[in-house]
Amino acid sequence: GSSMSISLLRGGQLWGLISCHSREARVVSFEVRSTCDLLAQVLSLKLAAGENAAGLSHRVELRSVLSTLMGSMARHERFADGLLADPKALLQLTAATGVAVVAEGEIALHGRTPTKAQVETLARWLAARPKEDVFASSTLPAIFPEAREFAWSASGVLAISISRVHRSLVIWFRPEVIATVTWGGDPNKPAEREASGMMRIHPRKSFET
């Protein structure tokens, strides 16, 4: 019979809704609407504050991991040995499932990675690209067809160049993730013809999922 929605915004973008319904026709007074608006603003601020706090905590954690890796590299003559001395921290730095360190003509792997031959092919392709110290892709096979052979381990890639003179790279990998989305209702919301012959869009009827 009636409905009212209150928008929750995050960074000026719609984050969610508080949706209210009644079986009967109902008029909401200005005072109540103003109160709801204030409530929405408070909730929006809480959302932003919560996300900022989580982001700060994550940055602090990453700085700790980075300090661990820097200390490890300082204790070793070769930077690659220092990185691979703590492979868990190296993976944690980017939340990766695998990593490759390419240095001095050698390739060291840890975790879920392509083969050394495949990493060598990838490293040559990266070296041939226009100069960039950081390369990132969430769908590597789309721009590097050879990667289709190892998408199961490296569909997502983040690579940093340590030295272009000696072709030194650190490459992090994430596997391909295929998602199945099951909708609670028809996302297209098709129009339906009523008894009067008019076409109207109705609320989604199937919410069994």
Side-chain angles (χ1 to χ4, degrees):
S2 57
S3 67
M4 181 180 75
S5 63
I6 306 162
S7 301
L8 300 178
L9 303 178
R10 180 186 61 186
Q13 300 293 318
L14 184 65
W15 180 87
L17 288 173
I18 300 175
S19 187
C20 312
H21 307 278
S22 176
R23 293 182 181 277
E24 303 172 357
R26 187 181 297 271
V27 177
V28 182
S29 69
F30 172 76
E31 291 79 7
V32 173
R33 295 201 308 273
S34 297
T35 302
C36 290
D37 186 44
L38 179 61
L39 175 65
Q41 291 182 43
V42 171
L43 281 173
S44 296
L45 289 172
K46 289 284 288 180
L47 283 170
E51 290 197 343
N52 289 338
L56 178 61
S57 175
H58 183 57
R59 287 194 295 273
V60 169
E61 181 183 347
L62 289 181
R63 285 185 182 277
S64 175
V65 173
L66 187 59
S67 296
T68 299
L69 290 173
M70 295 291 285
S72 181
M73 284 191 289
R75 291 190 298 271
H76 290 78
E77 185 175 342
R78 297 170 69 249
F79 85 91
D81 294 337
L83 286 175
L84 292 167
D86 194 344
K88 182 179 178 181
L90 189 56
L91 291 177
Q92 187 180 358
L93 187 64
T94 61
T97 53
V99 65
V101 179
V102 181
E104 299 177 12
E106 297 181 4
I107 297 175
L109 306 176
H110 181 78
R112 185 176 176 180
T113 69
T115 65
K116 286 188 177 182
Q118 290 168 334
V119 171
E120 172 64 27
T121 301
L122 176 60
R124 283 200 302 268
W125 178 76
L126 289 170
R129 289 175 59 81
K131 185 177 180 181
E132 52 187 355
D133 294 328
V134 179
F135 168 82
S137 174
S138 59
T139 52
L140 183 64
I143 55 177
F144 181 53
E146 288 90 333
R148 293 183 187 131
E149 297 179 8
F150 50 86
W152 65 275
S153 64
S155 184
V157 167
L158 172 64
I160 60 171
S161 175
I162 305 299
S163 170
R164 286 191 166 270
V165 177
H166 302 290
R167 197 163 67 93
S168 299
L169 295 164
V170 180
I171 311 173
W172 287 272
F173 304 105
R174 285 182 182 175
E176 180 179 52
V177 177
I178 299 174
T180 300
V181 178
T182 304
W183 293 91
D186 184 354
N188 299 312
K189 294 189 72 171
E192 297 178 9
R193 188 177 300 278
E194 296 188 323
S196 63
M198 293 182 62
M199 297 295 290
R200 293 192 61 182
I201 295 178
H202 292 273
R204 298 170 187 167
K205 296 181 177 179
S206 175
F207 288 93
E208 294 175 2
T209 300

